[in-house]
């Protein structure tokens, strides 16, 4: 028996190792998707039903096996319905993965571009956030990366304004008609203001997070965008990437992280 196992291990090919690596990667992505959500409980329930089905087949419990088998046969359609948001996020994660740094690769193919995309001025954005933080001016800034956010820009007022500190501060000024909602920044251009973002209503989000924070979670779990929030209650600056709160000690550290993320 041991010799058979050893023989099987020795006969493993390169394709077998690639197969294992791909399965491990897939499981990692699935874990990231369902981690901390009710979806993990649903997933465990589906796995338990599948295991019970296999046990009933082995024990030749024909009636129960047929019932569970019928459930499993339509399980794919049920999974699409139950895990609709998770599947969407999974596809976005795959599409947004920077294989060999997709953005830099596209920058090299200048003949494919009709115009030069300006680099986001992180220092200006953070300076505006710091000043709004001192005055407790609420703000929600979405930084576009690989996923196009035109579908969200349609919900607000389309703009084409260069990013400057006075522009950002004037947009979120409490008496400004544009302060309500989020702004989308593409490159170094304010793409839209008064944008309505999808709000995450999961109970796992801490109660201290308000509507702006839930909107930040909502947009960053559906796209690869980065969301910056200035709290109107506390003046605290927050950042969300991949639907997760980004911890940082000071704005200098946040600036360095954003520079890395936006490359």
């Amino acid at each position: 028996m041991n010799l058979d196992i050893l023989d099987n291990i020795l006969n493993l090919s390169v394709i077998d190792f690639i197969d294992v690596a791909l399965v491990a990667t897939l499981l990692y992505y699935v874990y990231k998707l369902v981690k901390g959500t009710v979806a993990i409980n649903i997933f465990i329930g589906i796995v338990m039903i599948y295991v019970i089905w296999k046990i009933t087949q082995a024990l030749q419990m024909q009636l129960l096996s047929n019932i569970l088998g019928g459930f499993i046969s339509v399980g794919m359609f049920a999974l699409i319905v139950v895990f609709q948001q998770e599947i969407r996020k999974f596809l976005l994660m795959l599409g947004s993965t920077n294989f060999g740094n997709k953005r830099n690769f596209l920058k090299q193919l200048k003949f494919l571009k009709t115009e030069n995309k300006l680099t986001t001025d992180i220092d200006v954005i953070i300076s505006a956030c710091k000043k709004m933080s001192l005055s407790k001016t609420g703000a929600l800034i979405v930084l576009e990366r690989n996923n196009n956010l035109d579908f969200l820009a349609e919900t607000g007022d389309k703009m084409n304004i260069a990013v400057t500190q006075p522009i950002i501060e004037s947009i979120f000024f409490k008496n400004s008609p544009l302060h309500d909602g989020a702004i989308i920044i593409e490159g170094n251009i304010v793409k839209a203001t008064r944008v309505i973002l999808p709000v995450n209503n999961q109970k796992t989000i801490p109660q201290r997070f308000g509507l702006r924070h839930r909107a930040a979670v909502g947009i960053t779990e559906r796209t690869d965008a980065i969301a910056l929030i200035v709290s109107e209650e506390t003046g605290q600056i927050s950042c969300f990437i991949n639907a997760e709160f980004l911890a940082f000690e000071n704005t200098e550290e946040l600036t360095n992280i954003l520079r890395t993320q936006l490359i």
Side-chain angles (χ1 to χ4, degrees):
M1 183 66 179
N2 292 333
L3 291 177
D4 291 337
I5 296 175
L6 181 61
D7 185 56
N8 290 333
I9 294 175
L10 293 176
N11 289 329
L12 289 175
S13 65
V14 175
I15 298 299
D16 294 322
F17 285 106
I18 294 176
D19 187 24
V20 172
L22 290 176
V23 171
T25 303
L26 179 62
L27 291 176
Y28 169 73
Y29 274 114
V30 171
Y31 171 73
K32 282 192 67 177
L33 288 174
V34 301
K35 172 181 72 171
T37 68
V38 295
I40 186 65
N41 297 326
I42 299 174
F43 181 75
I44 292 173
I46 293 173
V47 171
M48 290 179 63
I49 291 176
Y50 181 80
V51 171
I52 294 172
W53 176 49
K54 286 299 182 181
I55 293 175
T56 57
Q57 281 186 326
L59 297 176
Q60 297 183 351
M61 301 171 66
Q62 197 65 37
L63 181 59
L64 186 56
S65 177
N66 289 339
I67 293 174
L68 294 176
F71 179 82
I72 294 296
S73 63
V74 297
M76 184 59 66
F77 298 101
L79 286 176
I80 293 175
V81 174
V82 173
F83 293 104
Q84 181 180 3
Q85 294 296 332
E86 284 74 17
I87 292 173
R88 174 184 171 85
K89 184 179 177 182
F90 176 71
L91 294 176
L92 282 171
M93 288 169 63
L94 290 180
S96 302
T97 302
N98 291 327
F99 297 105
N101 204 330
K102 178 170 59 178
R103 178 170 292 186
N104 286 340
F105 175 74
L106 291 176
K107 284 181 179 178
Q108 295 174 9
L109 302 179
K110 293 182 179 179
F111 63 91
L112 292 178
K113 301 180 68 177
T114 57
E115 58 182 4
N116 291 326
K117 187 173 183 179
L118 297 176
T119 303
T120 306
D121 195 336
I122 299 299
D123 292 325
V124 164
I125 296 173
I126 296 301
S127 294
C129 289
K130 288 170 66 175
K131 193 167 182 181
M132 291 187 292
S133 173
L134 294 174
S135 61
K136 293 187 178 179
T137 301
L140 177 51
I141 302 171
V142 177
L143 306 178
E144 182 175 314
R145 292 204 281 179
N146 292 319
N147 296 150
N148 189 289
L149 302 181
D150 284 347
F151 70 100
L152 285 173
E154 296 289 344
T155 67
D157 298 328
K158 288 189 175 181
M159 298 286 177
N160 188 23
I161 312 170
V163 173
T164 64
Q165 184 173 337
I167 285 293
I168 295 177
E169 292 176 14
S170 63
I171 289 175
F172 290 110
F173 180 64
K174 293 181 180 179
N175 294 328
S176 167
L178 302 177
H179 82 282
D180 194 21
I183 68 170
I184 296 176
I185 294 178
E186 178 186 8
N188 208 39
I189 297 295
V190 177
K191 186 175 186 176
T193 60
R194 295 205 308 169
V195 175
I196 301 173
L197 300 182
V199 178
N200 185 297
N201 292 316
Q202 291 183 13
K203 295 182 179 179
T204 54
I205 298 178
Q207 293 295 323
R208 71 177 185 275
F209 287 159
L211 189 59
R212 286 190 180 90
H213 296 80
R214 290 182 175 274
V217 174
I219 184 59
T220 57
E221 75 178 350
R222 289 168 173 80
T223 71
D224 69 341
I226 299 174
L228 292 170
I229 307 98
V230 179
S231 173
E232 193 172 356
E233 290 75 25
T234 64
Q236 181 181 3
I237 301 173
S238 304
C239 179
F240 285 85
I241 300 177
N242 296 325
E244 295 182 356
F245 177 76
L246 180 66
F248 54 91
E249 293 185 1
N250 49 54
T251 54
E252 287 75 18
E253 182 180 350
L254 175 60
T255 300
N256 292 331
I257 293 173
L258 293 181
R259 284 202 182 102
T260 303
Q261 292 292 331
L262 291 172
I263 289 177

